[in-house]
Amino acid sequence: MKQSSELNRMLRQIDHKGYPAYKQLRGEYQFPGYVLGIDHVQGDPFAAPSKVSIHIKGKQAGFPEALYRLPCQKTALENVLLRQMGRQLHKMSFQAKGSGKSGLMSVSSPGQEVLPRSGCQLDQETGDLVLRMEVGFPANGRTINARELEKILFDFIPESVKRSLYYQAFDPDQLQNTAELAEDQEAIRQQLPERKLAAFVANGSILPRESGVSSRPMKQAVAFQSPQSMEVELTLPNRGAIRGMGIPLGVTLIVGGGYHGKSTLLKALELGVYNHIAGDGREYVITDQTAMKLRAEDGRSVKDVDISLFINNLPNGKDTVKFCTEDASGSTSQAAGVVEAMEAGSRVFLIDEDTSATNFMIRDELMQRVVHRDVEPITPYIERVRELYEMFGISTILVAGSSGSYFHKADCILQMNRYVPADITDFAKEEAKAFPVLEEAPKMAQPSFARVFAQNRKLAGSDRVKMKTMGMDGISIDRETVDLRYLEQLADPEQLTMLAQILKYAEINVFDGKKTLAEVVDVLEDRLKKLGFAGICGERNVSSGLAMPRRQEIFGCLNRYRKL
Ligand code: ADP
Ligand code: MG
């Protein structure tokens, strides 16, 4: 390792030279209190900025172990540091001047959901800290302006590091609160199974968001209040007793007039698989970690999925035990989604009628009489929803504002009324007695999850695979686009970037024509658990801008990859 004075000397040497001379700076430099890594140098001032990392020993950073004892606390602390660093860099970004991206300084900016990110990683054993940032190395035209880079590396970054990455820089209470909140959130999540709950929504939660493009809490929203019959009290290690609505395992229906807040509640439950930051309004909205939002997705590809529990005897004679299509319909896409979610180990399905294929969800009595079962390929979800729970332990939380068909099937019926839920189970069941129960479909069989996929030889052979993230819409790998728009529980574009890395790794290292898809995902998950981002990207190649996706979204991404 070199000393920072050496870096200073090199800067003077390359000043006014052509831009590529910056490449010589790659390496690690000892600064007072931390090591600066110049990991990747951009090719020219207009290209993607250079990658720089800061490494601080646990002893020097000084964060007490109690703040990151649990993995969820570690992640919460990392998020706080990243935000703080972001604020500091923002003040100084572009103060060093020049052409193109000269002077840019940034780290990833975490949103409302608390996700593990490669931008800041704290080692749970040693407390050692790595922060990854992007810096636009300054130039005039394409000529190096080393004086400006000197400002960045010797003034701006040290100043920001001092104010963001050491324990002394923080209000100890703020960090304590962050750790306590994370521990409480985890405690709720752990209590769900023993209380036989699929989800918990605390009284006083703020569910709606500011706007379609802002995920901050809506101001002056109606705060959530549980119906009395569903109210439960949980005891949290730090906050103590907390009361709110417990959504029981089984089949739960959310009904109510249009615009009364049904989808808003479901959306909050979808994102309740993640912890939220203090002040979000959904801090104590916690859903079973494996919950999966399911919806229709016309046009997606489906590869070898056993959808026979929902769809049989297609008019074109297509196999539905190993169903394949490059262009699924609304109903076949949703059927595939359900079976894939079972395969991924999901215990709670979240469905909104707004985004479902009607013919997949229900078939009313009159239609059953007119069009006989024998010529209808679809066994609608309503005829499977109880079996899914009773045979497979999979609960369903379903928004259905326009059809009462599910009243017979539900264990619990909630009506949203001006954003306040009421438990109308008894009343709705009583009313439903006047309507006939429809004829049942034959019992479902356990779907087969035996599908296996071979390695993609072309990717395995090439050393540079082109990858791209298109915001929240999807990724592309070797020019093949994977549409991820309808994986609605993806919370951050950085998760998509990580999914691209995971997909590439799986293609090159894991698919072997023998492992089932679940076994492939097990291997991937295991590496991520043991080694974090480095388990997929390689120790030396972890870059900023990655966030961890869940097991369910890894499945979802592989399932939508047309080259499987
Ligand atoms: P539904 O699905 O029942 O038609 P939505 O959930 O889409 O209704 O909500 C309709 C509108 O009401 C949305 O604009 C949403 O932001 C707003 N809204 C939802 N919940 C609340 C609340 N608790 N307080 C205030 N406004 C809300
Ligand atoms: Mg709605």
Side-chain angles (χ1 to χ4, degrees):
M1 177 161 1
K2 301 175 200 128
Q3 293 299 314
S4 59
S5 52
E6 171 70 9
L7 179 60
N8 215 318
R9 201 187 55 75
M10 290 167 79
L11 281 173
R12 277 160 214 274
Q13 221 173 44
I14 60 171
D15 199 13
H16 305 306
K17 291 201 174 158
Y19 205 83
Y22 264 146
K23 298 260 181 204
Q24 299 165 28
L25 300 183
R26 260 188 59 142
E28 299 190 323
Y29 304 91
Q30 181 70 56
F31 274 70
Y34 64 89
V35 171
L36 174 83
I38 297 180
D39 305 321
H40 171 82
V41 179
Q42 62 203 104
D44 73 78
F46 303 90
S50 303
K51 308 268 187 194
V52 167
S53 55
I54 308 289
H55 307 253
I56 307 182
K57 287 281 168 217
K59 273 215 177 67
Q60 274 166 325
F63 294 96
E65 222 184 303
L67 294 178
Y68 56 86
R69 192 173 46 85
L70 302 171
C72 62
Q73 292 177 314
K74 166 180 120 74
T75 304
L77 178 58
E78 290 163 351
N79 268 258
V80 169
L81 304 189
L82 207 44
R83 279 169 192 278
Q84 175 76 359
M85 188 72 179
R87 274 191 291 270
Q88 296 303 321
L89 292 178
H90 186 72
K91 291 187 213 158
M92 300 180 217
S93 191
F94 291 115
Q95 281 195 18
K97 305 275 183 228
S99 47
K101 303 213 167 75
S102 294
L104 174 147
M105 291 192 285
S106 71
V107 288
S108 15
S109 50
Q112 302 297 104
E113 288 79 26
V114 183
L115 306 171
R117 290 174 194 269
S118 62
C120 182
Q121 292 276 287
L122 189 145
D123 185 311
Q124 234 174 343
E125 264 150 45
T126 59
D128 292 357
L129 206 59
V130 181
L131 182 117
R132 297 187 175 89
M133 55 187 286
E134 297 197 317
V135 176
F137 283 13
N140 299 321
R142 287 189 161 79
T143 307
I144 286 179
N145 185 341
R147 299 276 164 182
E148 293 293 290
L149 184 56
E150 190 183 331
K151 279 193 209 163
I152 292 178
L153 300 180
F154 288 87
D155 295 336
F156 300 162
I157 291 183
E159 185 65 19
S160 309
V161 168
K162 199 173 94 191
R163 290 166 188 261
S164 316
L165 301 181
Y166 296 101
Y167 182 59
Q168 303 99 289
F170 289 88
D171 168 9
D173 288 345
Q174 185 210 342
L175 296 185
Q176 182 66 25
N177 292 342
T178 302
E180 290 184 356
L181 175 59
E183 187 180 21
D184 283 352
Q185 290 167 330
E186 184 64 23
I188 299 178
R189 202 164 265 122
Q190 278 178 6
Q191 286 175 49
L192 292 179
E194 56 203 62
R195 302 288 292 250
K196 301 207 167 15
L197 298 177
F200 174 81
V201 185
N203 292 340
S205 295
I206 301 299
L207 307 188
R209 300 294 96 190
E210 202 168 59
S211 73
V213 293
S214 160
S215 49
R216 296 153 78 92
M218 177 189 277
K219 296 184 188 85
Q220 275 140 18
V222 177
F224 188 85
Q225 179 62 46
S226 169
Q228 219 160 32
S229 58
M230 294 177 73
E231 202 166 74
V232 294
E233 183 174 293
L234 305 179
T235 308
L236 308 184
N238 302 297
R239 204 189 132 118
I242 186 168
R243 299 182 74 82
M245 180 171 81
I247 298 182
L249 297 179
V251 179
T252 300
L253 209 56
I254 301 170
V255 303
Y259 223 67
H260 279 259
K262 302 183 297 295
S263 297
T264 303
L265 171 58
L266 194 78
K267 192 83 216 160
L269 294 173
E270 287 166 30
L271 291 173
V273 299
Y274 303 115
N275 289 348
H276 287 89
I277 57 170
D280 174 83
R282 297 167 297 183
E283 293 94 314
Y284 303 104
V285 179
I286 303 284
T287 309
D288 181 299
Q289 197 143 230
T290 66
M292 189 79 188
K293 169 70 177 288
L294 299 171
R295 55 167 294 162
E297 196 178 336
D298 309 33
R300 64 160 280 194
S301 70
V302 176
K303 198 69 181 276
D304 294 349
V305 178
D306 178 4
I307 57 171
S308 61
L309 65 160
F310 295 112
I311 301 183
N312 284 290
N313 308 322
L314 285 173
N316 59 4
K318 250 190 169 180
D319 182 3
T320 59
V321 175
K322 271 186 116 181
F323 183 73
C324 282
T325 176
E326 286 292 319
D327 183 11
S329 65
S331 55
T332 50
S333 64
Q334 209 166 349
V338 170
V339 176
E340 288 165 352
M342 293 174 76
E343 185 179 19
S346 175
R347 293 182 298 262
V348 178
F349 291 167
L350 304 169
I351 303 176
D352 194 329
E353 67 173 3
D354 287 359
T355 51
S356 291
T358 310
N359 61 341
F360 176 74
M361 296 307 294
I362 51 172
R363 215 151 75 85
D364 70 13
E365 200 211 350
L366 183 53
M367 190 57 85
Q368 285 216 12
R369 279 193 205 167
V370 174
V371 180
H372 195 258
R373 189 181 284 285
D374 297 348
V375 295
E376 171 55 74
I378 304 176
T379 303
Y381 191 77
I382 189 167
E383 295 183 26
R384 294 291 183 223
V385 67
R386 289 240 54 98
E387 280 174 284
L388 281 173
Y389 179 58
E390 278 146 26
M391 289 173 57
F392 298 97
I394 298 171
S395 299
T396 296
I397 302 175
L398 171 68
V399 169
S402 62
S403 157
S405 318
Y406 276 85
F407 286 160
H408 291 293
K409 306 284 180 178
D411 298 304
C412 177
I413 303 163
L414 272 177
Q415 180 179 356
M416 293 305 287
N417 191 355
R418 296 172 196 274
Y419 317 123
V420 180
D423 177 358
I424 59 159
T425 311
D426 294 340
F427 172 65
K429 289 264 180 196
E430 194 54 42
E431 291 296 305
K433 279 188 186 151
F435 292 80
V437 182
L438 297 184
E439 182 198 339
E440 281 287 318
K443 279 241 171 296
M444 70 185 261
Q446 158 91 45
S448 156
F449 300 135
R451 54 198 178 129
V452 295
F453 300 104
Q455 180 192 52
N456 182 328
R457 289 190 193 285
K458 185 172 158 237
L459 285 189
S462 63
D463 47 340
R464 289 207 70 179
V465 181
K466 265 204 159 53
M467 291 191 295
K468 222 171 89 183
T469 307
M470 285 89 83
M472 293 297 287
D473 288 347
I475 54 175
S476 83
I477 171 165
D478 194 31
R479 300 214 170 77
E480 177 70 31
T481 303
V482 187
D483 186 345
L484 302 175
R485 273 174 303 168
Y486 296 128
L487 286 181
E488 294 183 348
Q489 289 161 294
L490 284 171
D492 194 291
E494 294 194 349
Q495 289 178 309
L496 281 80
T497 310
M498 186 58 190
L499 283 172
Q501 295 280 346
I502 293 173
L503 178 53
K504 176 177 122 187
Y505 184 88
E507 274 285 42
I508 297 176
N509 302 295
V510 193
F511 283 117
D512 58 3
K514 293 189 202 95
K515 288 191 204 70
T516 64
L517 196 62
E519 285 164 350
V520 167
V521 178
D522 285 344
V523 171
L524 296 168
E525 233 193 339
D526 198 47
R527 290 190 70 81
L528 288 168
K529 271 207 184 102
K530 285 200 190 108
L531 304 165
F533 296 98
I536 296 298
C537 310
E539 192 67 58
R540 308 229 107 241
N541 293 317
V542 180
S543 68
S544 60
L546 304 172
M548 215 47 103
R550 289 188 309 160
R551 174 185 179 85
Q552 277 67 25
E553 278 71 36
I554 297 177
F555 258 99
C557 175
L558 294 176
N559 277 320
R560 282 162 182 75
Y561 176 51
R562 290 172 188 268
K563 288 253 167 86
L564 257 193

